[in-house]
Amino acid sequence: MPTVNVDKEELYTALGRDYTFDEFMDLCFNFGIELEEDTSPKEMAIREVGAHKVDDSVSDRPILKIDIPANRYDLLCHEGISRSLLVFQGKARPPIFRTVIPADGKLQKMTVKPETAAIRPFAVAAILRNVKFTELNYKNFIDLQDKLHMNICRKRTLVAIGTHDLDTIQGPFTYEALAPKEIQFVPLNQEKNMNAEELMTFYENDKHLGKFLPIIKDSPVYPIIYDKNRQVLSLPPIINSNHSKITLDTKNVFIECTATDLTKGKIVLNTMVAMFSEYCAEPFTVEPVEIVYEDNRQPAGVTPDLTSRTTTAKVDYINSCTGLKLNPDEICDLLNKMSLEATPSEEDKNEVVVQVPVTRSDILHQCDIMEDVAIAYGFNNLPHTAPSVSTIGKPYPLNKLADTARVELALAGWSEVSPLTLCSHDENFAFLRQKDPGNIAVRLAHPKTIEYQVVRTSLLPGVLKTLKENKKHSLPIKVFEVGDTAIKDDTQERRSRNVRKVCATYSNKTSGLEQIHGLLDRTLQMLHCQPVDKNGTASGYWIQDSENPTYFPSRSADIYLRQKGETKVIGSFGILHPEVLEKFGLNFPTSAMEFDLEPFL
């Protein structure tokens, strides 16, 4: 869960009253967020480095640290939290966001060049007019960008935000992709003019920007945004130009987002303008920007689209999930507290119609609406009910076997991880140097993002992604997962089936293949499967050299299992190929094993 630091005095002023710590903690809990602590930057710095190392210039102004659900991007700043809490308490109505065309009827225009398709193919933009910045809301403006970059933007890999003083630049704008040496500008807060190659060298040791350089560093072309006079606005996703730098005196703000995922790009732009359009001279108004793709890969249009979308939810579904007996009007009243405008359906008495604002991109299904009803009603107020039937339960055999495997792997010194079951097509195949046969992976028909295109057919991509996010930990890193994969199977009613697998990796300064081999032997023996001669007839397992492209040549083996006279390959293990490590951002040798668990049931 992201943690947001909110200025205490500013928040309480916006809410119209002061709170004790316990009062505000209760309010946060009732709304579905969590107050972590009441502290200050100076107090946090003292805890981190000690009082003797903390400069007197560090602020001691009180702040509240609040944990926010990861999918509530509208709560990542003071503006979103205060606005939502006021609506929740019935002290305000949700704002109505509007796009406003300039008086002369001419929109600013951004043209996306064809060559950007090779690096960051999408762009969206908007303008906030007559904004009044203060020190506090300017800080919130910058902090929200950082929070979005680390959350939905996935550290700028999916979306990068650029904000500019519109009065220092002139439209129309162009979004291009050029060779690094052709790009020249003065980076933000610098004085020297650099080309993009020099910029990469300059920032490679920067603790803030250095981690973003690999996103484009090895590309033959870099994305770049120019204005009418060929003045650089930004080099996404790295840094903006110093020329268009925003200050407290800025009145008109040009916001651009470049993206590899258009849906997320639109969500990020909508969040930015929805949060800070309240500081415009005409609150909650946004000037749209025309986006034109020269190669027509996307139809021309204007961004942002601030219209609410309409969805529905069944009354009996909401009541059955919550144990309540609410009528449509009562459900609508509760949803209104959660900033969702809801009305009873005129066509179906068992349905409510919900207008979802652009700030609530987390609403995807009626279960999300049901959750908001439960929050507004109060989780502690939901009725306690006993099951209507008396049954005697027992573990599902496959789950019991999986739990047994988990215990043994943990006792062997490995730590369990739980990655997501969806992944991108490339992560499932190309990143592992495997070809897609076309009849194995279950694909999503209309994926909302490139991160979730297929149901995993292997546990290895998820484990390696977890390693990537935890590679700062000391070596060796030993992790495992016992979980489901899915493959197509036309013999099944659902035309697919789950396959329970075991996967483990060992990462160190050396490959540690013997560690993975030992873990494999221990795990299989725990499953009452003994090593046997492959030329014999006894039931058991053996390993045999293989040339699996996921692993280093001559450093991998297949795992064979013979049961009741039948022999089949149930998995493999070996030292991961350097190209696989590179694709997943790992810089240390890693050995892995993966095998099917179900044959041991």
Side-chain angles (χ1 to χ4, degrees), residues 311-336 338 340 342-345 349-354 363 365-379 382-383:
T311 188
T312 60
K314 296 294 184 182
V315 173
D316 58 1
Y317 170 79
I318 293 173
N319 284 329
S320 66
C321 291
T322 58
L324 300 172
K325 296 180 181 179
L326 302 173
N327 60 48
D329 289 321
E330 292 172 325
I331 289 175
C332 292
D333 289 340
L334 293 172
L335 289 174
N336 290 338
M338 303 301 293
L340 297 175
T343 55
S345 173
K349 293 182 179 179
N350 187 40
E351 194 172 70
V352 292
V353 180
V354 182
I363 303 294
H365 184 271
Q366 67 173 347
C367 66
D368 300 309
I369 296 173
M370 176 274 297
E371 180 186 19
D372 271 14
V373 170
I375 291 173
Y377 188 86
F379 282 126
L382 295 177

Side-chain angles (χ1 to χ4, degrees), residues 98-115:
R98 297 184 297 118
T99 53
V100 177
I101 306 299
D104 60 6
K106 295 181 180 179
L107 295 178
Q108 290 284 5
K109 180 179 177 181
M110 176 180 282
T111 301
V112 181
K113 299 289 186 178
E115 55 269 22

Side-chain angles (χ1 to χ4, degrees), residues 215-400:
I215 300 173
I216 62 170
K217 188 173 184 178
D218 296 329
S219 172
V221 292
Y222 289 178
I224 190 78
I225 298 178
Y226 289 104
D227 76 349
K228 173 184 177 180
N229 302 314
R230 302 299 288 175
Q231 172 63 51
V232 172
L233 274 68
S234 68
L235 175 71
I238 309 302
I239 196 167
N240 292 345
S241 165
N242 194 61
H243 179 85
S244 57
K245 176 182 178 179
I246 288 182
T247 67
L248 291 176
D249 297 324
T250 298
K251 297 299 180 186
N252 300 303
V253 180
F254 179 72
I255 304 174
E256 43 83 5
C257 298
T258 58
T260 57
D261 185 315
L262 182 57
T263 299
K264 282 197 162 88
K266 291 178 178 178
I267 291 173
V268 169
L269 181 67
N270 289 345
T271 302
M272 286 294 299
V273 299
M275 294 302 103
F276 288 93
S277 57
E278 74 172 76
Y279 299 117
C280 294
E282 189 177 353
F284 307 115
T285 60
V286 182
E287 182 180 317
V289 174
E290 183 182 3
I291 308 294
V292 177
Y293 290 82
E294 280 194 349
D295 57 1
N296 296 317
R297 80 180 85 117
Q298 289 287 325
V302 296
T303 60
D305 179 4
L306 298 181
T307 56
S308 299
R309 53 190 171 90
T310 303
T311 188
T312 60
K314 296 294 184 182
V315 173
D316 58 1
Y317 170 79
I318 293 173
N319 284 329
S320 66
C321 291
T322 58
L324 300 172
K325 296 180 181 179
L326 302 173
N327 60 48
D329 289 321
E330 292 172 325
I331 289 175
C332 292
D333 289 340
L334 293 172
L335 289 174
N336 290 338
K337 292 177 62 176
M338 303 301 293
S339 301
L340 297 175
E341 294 288 343
T343 55
S345 173
E346 296 180 359
E347 300 175 356
D348 186 350
K349 293 182 179 179
N350 187 40
E351 194 172 70
V352 292
V353 180
V354 182
Q355 300 298 323
V356 182
V358 294
T359 53
R360 294 300 306 273
S361 59
D362 59 300
I363 303 294
L364 302 175
H365 184 271
Q366 67 173 347
C367 66
D368 300 309
I369 296 173
M370 176 274 297
E371 180 186 19
D372 271 14
V373 170
I375 291 173
Y377 188 86
F379 282 126
N380 288 339
N381 299 325
L382 295 177
H384 292 231
T385 57
S388 58
V389 293
S390 178
T391 61
I392 298 175
K394 67 176 182 179
Y396 183 60
L398 182 57
N399 288 343
K400 183 177 181 180

